[in-house]
Amino acid sequence: MAVEIKVPTLGESIVEATVGAWHKHEGDPVTAGEVLVELETDKVTVEVTASGSGILSRILKPDGATVTIGELLGVIAEKVEEPAMPLHDGAGARVTATPVARRLAETHGVDIAAIPGSGPGGRVTKDDVIRHGAGSPAPLPTEAVPAVTPHTPALTPATQPAPVPDDGRREERIRMTRRRQTIAARLVEAQRTAAMLTTFNEIDMSAVIDLRKRHRESFRERHGVGLGFMSFFTKAVIGALKAFPLLNAEIRGDEIIVKHYYDIGIAVSTDEGLVVPVLRNADRLSFAEIERSIEELAHRARESKLTIADLQGGTFTITNGGIFGSLMSTPILNAPQVGILGMHKIQERPVALNGQVVIRPMMYVALSYDHRIIDGREAVSFLVRVKELVEDPERLLLEG
């Protein structure tokens, strides 16, 4: 009995996806539970597994196709022996081949009995036929050649187009993933709809660096995770949000929705673009819990294993361009949020301190905000509060 491969439910508000990559070809054997194809949504990558064993007889939606929930992707046929066509080689031994491989061989006049099989049990696959055909007296065509008709005069050597010189000016066409398309659309929409401004400040990281050096080993031994900078900034942001609650709000129509909970989005860079998993109730988390949660979410993001729930919501976002060497940037709002903090590279710079020039590890920080509900005074004061808390990290235990 044939088993249908259908697009599963993808999550709340997601109705379509893009076929990312098939892990199997037509004619390949499959086992129940084996991953067959990946579907890309604007938020996560979903793996579709086989609900039964057999042979992947048909692929109905190729890579790059747009599909909707419940749509048929392919069909798994029951794996059976085919006594009606017992092929044998010259020595009388039986030759097994996939249906696709057999049809391909028949179409192009290739002797399938002469092809060594690379599949399970020596089974001849479609790729085996293609490889064999490419080296045979009648190679399999790799692309269609237009037929010469009375209305299409044949090209002679004199009329052949001149070859294009290879001067190194090569171009490559890459299909945008659904996630990248969505990221692009949302960034443009955020800039179009919000009155976005950015204010800057700088933070002396000496105290945090010293605290981390003193407690790094004991912290890891006790909690099983490193003590990074992100937990300090998360705590500092929460302390500043409590003092300036409009930064933890959003606009709905003609109303301002102020949120008295703190779900902090942490931007994570992946091969497919930036994603922002959310730390729920971050104000209730310890330093160790924050570091552990960020480490886990970042790992899952880079393995494309985040769920829809991991990415939904969020009241404020932190992004760290410093890990790539950025000294200063203007982060774009993660709509419908009205504030985002940008961290940057720590760099030793000369600064004036108590009338003297000293060298300090400094970080520029940026706050982009929606000027529709946040005035400059609040934005600047918010960033100053973050600076004060990070420069005096012991205060984070009380105010964070």
Side-chain angles (χ1 to χ4, degrees), residues 130-374:
I130 292 174
R131 283 194 295 269
H132 182 82
S136 66
L140 302 180
T142 57
E143 60 182 28
V145 179
V148 177
T149 68
H151 303 289
T152 308
L155 295 176
T156 65
T159 60
Q160 289 283 356
V164 178
D166 182 8
D167 58 358
R169 294 167 58 84
R170 187 174 65 89
E171 294 182 351
E172 183 179 5
R173 188 184 299 271
I174 302 175
R175 179 179 64 88
M176 289 178 68
T177 64
R178 178 169 294 273
R179 182 180 300 171
R180 174 56 67 183
Q181 294 176 43
T182 301
I183 290 172
R186 287 181 175 173
L187 291 177
V188 172
E189 181 68 12
Q191 290 185 308
R192 187 184 69 83
T193 58
M196 192 174 71
L197 293 179
T198 305
T199 185
F200 301 90
N201 211 316
E202 61 179 354
I203 297 177
D204 184 344
M205 298 295 292
S206 300
V208 170
I209 291 174
D210 179 64
L211 189 150
R212 289 179 70 237
K213 284 182 179 178
R214 287 186 283 113
H215 298 285
R216 178 181 297 165
E217 296 303 324
S218 61
F219 188 89
R220 180 174 291 279
E221 290 177 3
R222 183 175 180 181
H223 301 290
V225 67
L227 179 59
F229 293 110
M230 191 60 76
S231 55
F232 290 95
F233 276 90
T234 301
K235 289 286 189 180
V237 160
I238 293 170
L241 289 174
K242 290 179 178 179
F244 303 95
L246 280 182
L247 270 295
N248 204 49
E250 68 174 84
I251 298 175
R252 294 182 193 168
D254 58 357
E255 294 183 328
I256 299 173
I257 310 300
V258 180
K259 302 172 183 179
H260 297 288
Y261 54 90
Y262 305 92
D263 292 347
I264 306 300
I266 306 295
V268 177
S269 178
T270 71
D271 292 339
E272 296 183 6
L274 204 67
V275 295
V276 187
V278 177
L279 292 179
R280 307 289 175 190
N281 298 312
D283 57 316
R284 305 177 188 175
L285 301 179
S286 66
F287 277 79
E289 289 171 331
I290 291 174
E291 293 291 350
R292 194 177 297 115
S293 297
I294 291 175
E295 184 178 87
E296 179 186 354
L297 289 170
H299 174 74
R300 287 165 55 197
R302 296 182 179 113
E303 295 292 323
S304 297
K305 296 187 182 299
L306 290 174
T307 66
I308 300 297
D310 292 327
L311 301 168
Q312 287 179 331
T315 62
F316 188 93
T317 294
I318 303 174
T319 182
N320 185 6
I323 59 178
F324 303 111
S326 172
L327 282 178
M328 186 177 290
S329 65
T330 55
I332 299 177
L333 291 172
N334 184 19
Q337 298 170 25
V338 296
I340 179 172
L341 179 76
M343 300 165 55
H344 299 92
K345 180 181 178 181
I346 300 173
Q347 187 177 57
E348 290 192 340
R349 293 196 295 270
V351 295
L353 185 65
N354 299 324
Q356 293 184 330
V357 176
V358 295
I359 304 298
R360 287 287 188 269
M362 306 297 293
M363 175 194 288
Y364 289 120
V365 287
L367 173 71
S368 292
Y369 60 98
D370 193 337
H371 202 13
R372 291 179 296 172
I373 64 171
I374 300 166

